[in-house]
Short mmCIF file of all heavy atoms in Angstrom, two decimals:
data_model
loop_
_atom_site.label_atom_id
_atom_site.label_comp_id
_atom_site.label_asym_id
_atom_site.label_seq_id
_atom_site.Cartn_x
_atom_site.Cartn_y
_atom_site.Cartn_z
N ALA A 45 -4.34 2.92 -8.27
CA ALA A 45 -5.76 2.76 -8.79
C ALA A 45 -5.83 3.57 -10.06
O ALA A 45 -5.10 4.58 -10.26
CB ALA A 45 -6.69 3.35 -7.77
N LYS A 46 -6.66 3.13 -10.89
CA LYS A 46 -6.73 3.77 -12.25
C LYS A 46 -7.32 5.13 -12.15
O LYS A 46 -7.90 5.57 -11.14
CB LYS A 46 -7.42 2.87 -13.29
CG LYS A 46 -8.90 2.53 -12.95
CD LYS A 46 -9.49 1.71 -14.04
CE LYS A 46 -10.94 1.69 -14.15
NZ LYS A 46 -11.66 1.06 -12.98
N THR A 47 -7.10 5.87 -13.28
CA THR A 47 -7.58 7.26 -13.30
C THR A 47 -9.07 7.30 -13.14
O THR A 47 -9.83 6.48 -13.58
CB THR A 47 -7.25 7.83 -14.72
OG1 THR A 47 -5.88 7.60 -14.96
CG2 THR A 47 -7.53 9.34 -14.79
N GLY A 48 -9.53 8.32 -12.37
CA GLY A 48 -10.97 8.48 -12.12
C GLY A 48 -11.47 7.72 -10.97
O GLY A 48 -12.66 7.67 -10.79
N SER A 49 -10.61 7.09 -10.17
CA SER A 49 -11.12 6.29 -9.08
C SER A 49 -11.23 7.00 -7.75
O SER A 49 -11.59 6.39 -6.78
CB SER A 49 -10.18 5.03 -8.93
OG SER A 49 -8.81 5.51 -8.80
N GLY A 50 -10.95 8.29 -7.77
CA GLY A 50 -11.13 9.09 -6.52
C GLY A 50 -9.97 9.18 -5.61
O GLY A 50 -10.04 9.32 -4.41
N LYS A 51 -8.80 9.21 -6.22
CA LYS A 51 -7.54 9.32 -5.41
C LYS A 51 -7.42 10.60 -4.73
O LYS A 51 -6.94 10.63 -3.61
CB LYS A 51 -6.29 8.96 -6.28
CG LYS A 51 -6.33 7.53 -6.77
CD LYS A 51 -5.02 7.14 -7.44
CE LYS A 51 -4.78 7.73 -8.82
NZ LYS A 51 -5.62 7.11 -9.82
N THR A 52 -7.84 11.66 -5.38
CA THR A 52 -7.71 12.95 -4.79
C THR A 52 -8.41 13.14 -3.39
O THR A 52 -7.84 13.60 -2.46
CB THR A 52 -8.25 14.08 -5.71
OG1 THR A 52 -7.91 13.77 -7.03
CG2 THR A 52 -7.63 15.48 -5.37
N ALA A 53 -9.59 12.65 -3.40
CA ALA A 53 -10.42 12.70 -2.13
C ALA A 53 -9.76 11.81 -1.11
O ALA A 53 -9.77 12.04 0.10
CB ALA A 53 -11.86 12.35 -2.37
N PHE A 55 -6.58 11.11 -0.45
CA PHE A 55 -5.59 11.87 0.36
C PHE A 55 -6.10 13.15 0.80
O PHE A 55 -5.78 13.58 1.99
CB PHE A 55 -4.24 11.99 -0.41
CG PHE A 55 -4.21 12.80 -1.68
CD1 PHE A 55 -4.22 14.20 -1.64
CD2 PHE A 55 -4.18 12.18 -2.89
CE1 PHE A 55 -4.18 14.90 -2.76
CE2 PHE A 55 -4.05 12.94 -4.11
CZ PHE A 55 -4.14 14.33 -4.01
N CYS A 76 2.52 17.41 -7.93
CA CYS A 76 1.86 16.86 -9.15
C CYS A 76 2.70 17.08 -10.40
O CYS A 76 3.58 17.98 -10.39
CB CYS A 76 0.57 17.75 -9.35
SG CYS A 76 -0.58 17.66 -8.02
N LEU A 81 -2.94 19.51 -13.54
CA LEU A 81 -3.24 18.54 -12.51
C LEU A 81 -3.20 19.14 -11.10
O LEU A 81 -4.07 18.82 -10.25
CB LEU A 81 -2.36 17.30 -12.59
CG LEU A 81 -2.64 16.44 -13.84
CD1 LEU A 81 -1.47 15.50 -14.10
CD2 LEU A 81 -3.96 15.70 -13.69
N GLN A 84 -6.44 21.09 -10.62
CA GLN A 84 -7.49 20.14 -10.33
C GLN A 84 -7.54 19.65 -8.90
O GLN A 84 -8.54 19.58 -8.31
CB GLN A 84 -7.45 18.84 -11.26
CG GLN A 84 -8.03 19.06 -12.66
CD GLN A 84 -7.75 17.80 -13.42
OE1 GLN A 84 -7.79 16.65 -12.96
NE2 GLN A 84 -7.55 17.98 -14.77
N VAL A 85 -6.31 19.33 -8.44
CA VAL A 85 -6.19 18.90 -7.05
C VAL A 85 -6.62 19.97 -6.17
O VAL A 85 -7.40 19.82 -5.19
CB VAL A 85 -4.80 18.38 -6.72
CG1 VAL A 85 -4.54 18.27 -5.26
CG2 VAL A 85 -4.57 17.08 -7.51
N ASP A 151 1.27 12.88 -6.11
CA ASP A 151 0.10 12.53 -6.83
C ASP A 151 0.60 12.20 -8.26
O ASP A 151 1.41 12.93 -8.81
CB ASP A 151 -0.97 13.63 -6.84
CG ASP A 151 -2.22 13.10 -7.42
OD1 ASP A 151 -2.48 11.88 -7.40
OD2 ASP A 151 -3.05 13.96 -7.84
N GLU A 152 -0.02 11.18 -8.92
CA GLU A 152 0.41 10.72 -10.22
C GLU A 152 1.90 10.59 -10.31
O GLU A 152 2.58 11.07 -11.12
CB GLU A 152 -0.09 11.80 -11.29
CG GLU A 152 -1.58 12.06 -11.12
CD GLU A 152 -2.37 12.05 -12.41
OE1 GLU A 152 -1.74 11.50 -13.41
OE2 GLU A 152 -3.50 12.36 -12.44
N PHE A 181 0.54 8.14 -4.74
CA PHE A 181 -0.52 7.74 -5.55
C PHE A 181 -0.07 7.55 -6.96
O PHE A 181 0.67 8.37 -7.50
CB PHE A 181 -1.70 8.69 -5.47
CG PHE A 181 -2.41 8.63 -4.16
CD1 PHE A 181 -1.90 9.26 -3.09
CD2 PHE A 181 -3.52 7.84 -4.03
CE1 PHE A 181 -2.49 9.19 -1.84
CE2 PHE A 181 -4.08 7.75 -2.78
CZ PHE A 181 -3.62 8.42 -1.71
MG1 MG B 2 -5.63 12.19 -9.62
#
Side-chain angles (χ1 to χ4, degrees):
K46 61 179 197 296
T47 308
S49 53
K51 293 192 281 292
T52 323
F55 64 76
C76 300
L81 290 165
Q84 276 176 34
V85 167
D151 190 23
E152 308 228 11
F181 288 81

